[in-house]
Amino acid sequence: MISTLFATSCSPKKEVAYFQNAKNFETIVDTDTFEPKIKIDDNLSISVSTFDMEASKPFNLFREAGSAGQIINYLVDVNGNIEFPVLGKIKVLGLTVSEVRDLIQQKLEEGYLKDPVVIVRILNFRVSVLGEVRNPGTFSITGERITLLQALATAGDLTIKGRRDNVLVVRDFKGTKTYTRVDLTNKELFNSPVYFLTQNDIIYVEPNHSASSGYFVDARLGTILSISSFLLGIVVLVTR
C-alpha cells in the first residue's frame, strides 16, 4: 500500500497527461474516411432486398425455412472468399464493407435483380485491451469504426501505472502480424495508422517506471517482513 502511494505521488505530469503538445485553439481538419477491411475468418451479415420480395429470396439463405427465419451469415475462408447463393464464390478479402456491398450489388444487377438493396455488416468486430488499464478484456463493437482512444475508454482508461508514451497495437492481416507503438502524450497520435482500429486488434499498455519500482519495493518489503518474522520466531523460542 505504501509503495503504491509512493509510486502514484511520484508520477510526474509528463508521464500521465495526454496530448501535451496540443496548443490552445489549435484545430485539425478531420478528412479521414477510414473503413475496416475484410479479413480471413470474418463473419459477415449480408442481406439482399428489392421491391419484388420473391425475386430476392434466392439470394438470402435462412436458418429456418421461410422469410421469418434467421439469415445465415457468411464466413470468409482462408482464401478470402465467401460462398454466396446463386452468385457462387466471391473474393472479399481486403475489401471494405462498402466495396463488398457495391460488388454484390453490381453482380445482382447484371442479370438477376432490378435496383437491389444490399446491406453488409461485420459481425465479429472485437478488440482486446490488455495491461495497465482498469478493466482489461475483449470488447464487442456495435459499429464498424472505433478509435484507439475509444477502446481505451471502454476498458476504463489507463491506470496511473500505465505507460502512455509507448502503447502497443498488434494487428493481424493476411496471416501477418504488425506491431505499432503510439504515444498518447503526443497529438500526432491522430495521424497514426492504428488510430482507427480494425477487427481483432490487440492493445497492450505496459507498466511505467513507477509501477516497476513499486513492484520491487513490495518484493523487498515482503522479503524483509518474512525474514523478520522468522528471526522473531527464533528469538521467542530461544528466550522461552
Side-chain angles (χ1 to χ4, degrees):
M1 181 68 178
I2 295 175
S3 62
T4 301
L5 292 173
F6 176 78
T8 302
S9 63
C10 290
S11 297
K13 180 180 178 181
K14 67 179 181 179
E15 289 187 4
V16 297
Y18 296 162
F19 321 126
Q20 296 176 26
N21 58 341
K23 301 175 183 177
N24 287 336
F25 306 109
E26 184 177 6
T27 59
I28 300 176
V29 178
D30 185 6
T31 58
D32 191 274
T33 56
F34 174 84
E35 285 187 78
K37 295 184 178 182
I38 306 300
K39 301 180 181 182
I40 292 172
D41 289 334
D42 273 350
N43 196 12
L44 306 180
S45 168
I46 305 175
S47 63
V48 177
S49 60
T50 61
F51 287 110
D52 185 352
M53 295 186 65
E54 287 299 319
S56 61
K57 271 187 178 180
F59 301 95
N60 295 290
L61 295 180
F62 294 92
R63 198 171 300 280
E64 299 174 5
S67 59
Q70 182 182 4
I71 293 181
I72 293 177
N73 303 321
Y74 299 88
L75 181 67
V76 182
D77 65 23
V78 293
N79 296 313
N81 301 314
I82 59 171
E83 287 289 344
F84 200 78
V86 182
L87 300 181
K89 188 174 294 185
I90 300 176
K91 187 85 167 182
V92 296
L93 180 65
L95 300 181
T96 65
V97 167
S98 59
E99 288 171 340
V100 173
R101 178 198 65 210
D102 294 344
L103 176 61
I104 294 175
Q105 187 171 329
Q106 178 185 350
K107 289 180 178 291
L108 292 172
E109 288 176 338
E110 287 176 352
Y112 298 99
L113 299 176
K114 181 180 179 181
D115 300 324
V117 175
V118 180
I119 299 175
V120 181
R121 292 191 58 217
I122 300 175
L123 299 179
N124 61 302
F125 203 123
R126 295 183 293 270
V127 295
S128 299
V129 187
L130 310 173
E132 288 293 344
V133 292
R134 289 185 174 84
N135 301 300
T138 298
F139 305 95
S140 296
I141 309 304
T142 55
E144 292 174 353
R145 273 172 64 115
I146 184 172
T147 67
L148 174 59
L149 295 175
Q150 289 170 331
L152 291 172
T154 302
D157 201 3
L158 280 69
T159 68
I160 196 68
K161 298 179 181 180
R163 185 172 174 181
R164 285 149 172 80
D165 64 346
N166 198 33
V167 175
L168 176 66
V169 178
V170 181
R171 176 169 296 174
D172 183 273
F173 188 70
K174 295 184 180 180
T176 301
K177 283 185 169 55
T178 62
Y179 301 85
T180 306
R181 295 184 180 273
V182 294
D183 183 357
L184 302 182
T185 69
N186 193 315
K187 66 181 181 181
E188 290 304 313
L189 163 70
F190 296 105
N191 296 321
S192 170
V194 295
Y195 177 66
F196 285 99
L197 301 176
T198 65
Q199 58 273 37
N200 301 318
D201 280 356
I202 299 173
I203 304 164
Y204 173 66
V205 180
E206 65 181 76
N208 58 25
H209 176 71
S210 299
S212 301
S213 299
Y215 170 80
F216 288 116
V217 169
D218 285 340
R220 288 197 211 106
L221 184 59
T223 301
I224 292 172
L225 290 175
S226 297
I227 294 174
S228 299
S229 299
F230 176 72
L231 294 176
L232 181 60
I234 294 176
V235 171
V236 171
L237 290 174
V238 170
T239 55
R240 275 183 178 179

